Amino acid sequence: MEQTFDLVVIGTGSAGAATAQACREQNWEVAIIDSREYGGTCALRGCDPKKVLVGAAELVDHTERMVGKGLEDSVRINWPDLMAFKHTFTDYIPGAHEKKLKDAGIHTFHGHARFVSEDTIEVDGHRLTGRHIMIATGAKPAPLSVTGEQYLANSDDFLNLEQLPSPLVFVGGGYISFEFAHIAARAGAEVHILHKDEQPLKGFDPELVKELMQRSRDIGIHIHLNTSLQSIEQLEEGTESDSSPANAESRTADRANHQTRYLIQASQQDQEMRLECGLVVHGAGRMPNIMDIQLEQGKVEFSKKGVRVNDYMQSVSNPIVYAAGDCTDSPGLPLTPLASLESQVATHNLLNGNTRKPDYREMPSIAFTIPKLGAIGISEEEARKLGDHVTVNTFDTSTWYTYKRTNEPTAMAKIIIDTSTRKILGAHILSGEADEMLNYFAIAIRLNLTIDQMREVLYAYPTPASDLSYMLKI
């Protein structure tokens, strides 16, 4: 069957669905496609369900810190109950999301989309020709090319575990591994992180990362630096894995019920390491999810970072194609707010011509570890290269009232200020309040506020925001 539309969108996450709905509101004929459940990574298998689990882990941590300081007993996580609670946030989304699109008059399709020409997409026997095409397919785990790679679980699997196995091994020292490690450790599991070099959590301040690693070790997380995964062997008999898509559901079920055991072999500075565990989770980076849609057929140029786009989120090689989010080779970080920003820009330019560009001035990034680790703006290393007019205010805030009152042992902040313009250039925060504190700095950077304007505000006291006046002195 062949159909023609004003816009064909590939992907139903935060970038794709928003563009589809906005264009439909302008009476465009719109089609949208997804190979998975409607709703995208963030809502179904990323940010939102993850933070439900983080919330429980934070309660455990907070309570343990206060035992002997007003509280008598600690609490523990009931993993099945927690996962059941998590499902209340995710299970209804695919149906509700698709219904919302259909009710708006958008044509919905399920299956793997692929280009067959510059303006035509094929999906499940349908050929959809678009006056415009929007690619918003997100990202997926990058291949690791190790023996036994088919036994790796991914973040989807972890977020759907019916029982929590132990020990757990996380491969890679990025934010996914550290966030899940903190959840699992506070749920009582033995946890290991394998990272291939000396510095995990790239993109965050190294000194704050060092403090977070120490806090992670204090709660029992084993962090193995300069360690490369060599192979994964399944130990149980009678459960030999089939890596084909048709058996994905059974593999996930095995992992969820931790019926199998695995032997990890790794190399740590030329020394062999062997670990037996109940689950091995891929946390070693993601790649644009574009390799199966035959971009070459659509004359859409791409790099290893994603679809190559110009400043208007338009393909550099096929002008009818736009792209947004994690699947693009753009300056934006692979974060949901940036996908939404790029989607808004692409939508505007689709409807009005290329007149808007993304503003990447502030890109707040948070690792939801415990405590949280946040970054926005330039790094301390970058600041040191700018000259004497840039200063870095560094604070150990663990003794400040905000954190001392809850007995939080690890809290730090670095605020980077241009003393000539009195503007904030960057902020790096490690604390239980890092996520909300970072938003104040995002506002300051976006609105070009000076430190004097920030300090003039009357903040409610005592609150974390009231600490800003002390952080912004020069």
Side-chain angles (χ1 to χ4, degrees):
M1 179 183 293
E2 297 184 5
Q3 296 172 267
T4 300
F5 298 91
D6 294 304
L7 176 66
V8 176
V9 179
I10 310 174
T12 62
S14 54
T19 295
Q21 289 173 297
C23 289
R24 179 59 193 149
E25 288 172 2
Q26 300 303 312
N27 295 316
W28 282 28
E29 285 296 317
V30 179
I32 195 165
I33 308 163
D34 209 315
S35 61
R36 303 187 68 176
E37 306 96 328
Y38 275 40
T41 297
C42 185
L44 292 175
R45 47 190 177 270
C47 328
D48 292 353
K50 170 195 71 183
K51 202 169 181 187
V52 174
L53 273 58
V54 168
E58 286 178 322
L59 288 173
V60 171
D61 180 70
H62 196 142
T63 304
E64 287 179 348
R65 296 199 313 262
M66 294 300 292
V67 170
K69 300 202 167 34
L71 297 183
E72 292 186 353
D73 297 311
S74 59
V75 296
R76 61 188 181 88
I77 289 175
N78 180 309
W79 189 264
D81 284 355
L82 177 58
M83 293 305 291
F85 182 52
K86 189 267 313 185
H87 280 292
T88 67
F89 291 86
T90 57
D91 286 0
Y92 75 94
I93 287 177
H97 196 67
E98 185 168 3
K99 182 178 185 301
K100 182 178 180 181
L101 293 168
K102 285 182 175 179
D103 288 348
I106 296 169
H107 299 258
T108 60
F109 294 86
H110 293 264
H112 288 277
R114 64 184 184 91
F115 278 86
V116 294
S117 70
E118 293 178 58
D119 65 352
T120 302
I121 302 294
E122 185 174 83
V123 55
D124 194 26
H126 298 270
R127 287 207 168 193
L128 314 179
T129 297
R131 185 165 60 89
H132 294 289
I133 295 171
M134 171 77 161
I135 304 172
T137 49
K140 64 180 181 179
L144 300 186
S145 301
V146 298
T147 302
E149 183 168 4
Q150 68 269 28
Y151 301 125
L152 274 172
N154 56 32
S155 55
D156 299 18
D157 299 319
F158 181 86
L159 289 170
N160 283 292
L161 289 171
E162 295 175 8
Q163 299 288 340
L164 185 66
S166 182
L168 277 158
V169 174
F170 294 93
V171 180
Y175 70 93
I176 291 175
S177 289
F178 270 83
E179 288 173 342
F180 288 172
H182 274 254
I183 294 167
R186 286 178 172 87
E190 178 185 331
V191 178
H192 296 260
I193 296 175
L194 312 183
H195 185 61
K196 64 181 180 180
D197 56 36
E198 188 66 31
Q199 175 65 52
L201 292 166
K202 296 290 175 63
F204 293 97
D205 181 84
E207 185 177 359
L208 271 59
V209 169
K210 184 178 179 181
E211 292 293 321
L212 178 60
M213 283 198 294
Q214 184 56 56
R215 179 75 175 118
S216 302
R217 289 178 170 126
D218 289 344
I219 66 164
I221 297 174
H222 305 274
I223 302 173
H224 308 278
L225 302 178
N226 300 306
T227 303
S228 298
L229 176 67
Q230 301 298 313
S231 66
I232 308 168
E233 178 185 351
Q234 184 173 284
L235 298 179
E236 296 284 330
E237 285 189 26
T239 56
E240 192 63 30
S241 175
D242 181 342
S243 60
S244 66
N247 285 276
E249 186 175 338
S250 63
R251 293 199 310 275
T252 299
D254 285 345
R255 289 162 179 159
N257 295 310
H258 55 94
Q259 297 172 349
T260 56
R261 303 290 289 178
Y262 303 95
L263 176 65
I264 302 301
Q265 296 198 61
S267 174
Q268 185 177 52
Q269 296 179 328
D270 298 326
Q271 297 294 315
E272 183 179 329
M273 173 188 293
R274 293 164 65 90
L275 286 171
E276 185 177 330
C277 63
L279 193 69
V280 193
V281 182
H282 186 314
R286 293 169 69 81
M287 62 182 288
N289 186 22
I290 56 174
M291 298 309 166
D292 297 330
I293 61 176
Q294 297 187 13
L295 293 174
E296 299 91 340
Q297 295 283 90
K299 292 184 170 52
V300 178
E301 290 186 15
F302 61 95
S303 71
K304 66 179 181 179
K305 294 182 179 180
V307 176
R308 294 187 59 221
V309 293
N310 61 23
D311 291 341
Y312 303 101
M313 307 311 300
Q314 181 185 43
S315 165
V316 298
S317 57
N318 182 344
I320 74 164
V321 172
Y322 286 74
D326 297 2
C327 67
T328 64
D329 185 353
S330 75
L333 295 175
L335 302 168
T336 297
L338 273 302
S340 297
L341 169 65
E342 292 180 349
S343 172
Q344 292 167 16
V345 170
T347 301
H348 173 91
N349 294 332
L350 281 163
L351 293 171
N352 304 289
N354 288 348
T355 55
R356 184 179 172 189
K357 301 177 183 180
D359 183 346
Y360 295 113
R361 270 180 297 176
E362 84 286 0
M363 292 191 283
S365 180
I366 289 282
F368 285 95
T369 48
I370 307 171
K372 307 177 189 92
L373 178 63
I376 189 171
I378 69 171
S379 67
E380 180 176 12
E381 182 181 3
E382 292 169 327
R384 299 297 183 195
K385 297 175 182 177
L386 295 179
D388 294 340
H389 66 286
V390 175
T391 187
V392 181
N393 291 347
T394 302
F395 307 95
D396 177 353
T397 56
S398 62
T399 60
W400 293 18
Y401 175 79
T402 298
Y403 308 103
K404 192 174 182 179
R405 71 178 181 85
T406 59
N407 199 32
E408 188 167 307
T410 305
M412 286 189 68
K414 289 186 178 183
I415 314 302
I416 301 168
I417 300 170
D418 185 326
T419 58
S420 60
T421 63
R422 304 183 73 80
K423 302 283 183 66
I424 298 166
L425 302 180
H428 305 270
I429 306 173
L430 175 66
S431 76
E433 307 292 343
D435 51 347
E436 295 301 335
M437 289 296 289
L438 211 64
N439 287 330
Y440 292 104
F441 292 102
I443 292 170
I445 293 172
R446 165 65 63 163
L447 300 181
N448 285 311
L449 301 178
T450 66
I451 59 172
D452 307 291
Q453 290 171 312
M454 291 289 287
R455 295 183 67 202
E456 284 174 2
V457 176
L458 293 177
Y459 300 100
Y461 180 87
T463 64
S466 62
D467 292 338
L468 285 168
S469 297
Y470 302 98
M471 293 180 176
L472 298 178
K473 292 180 179 178
I474 56 174

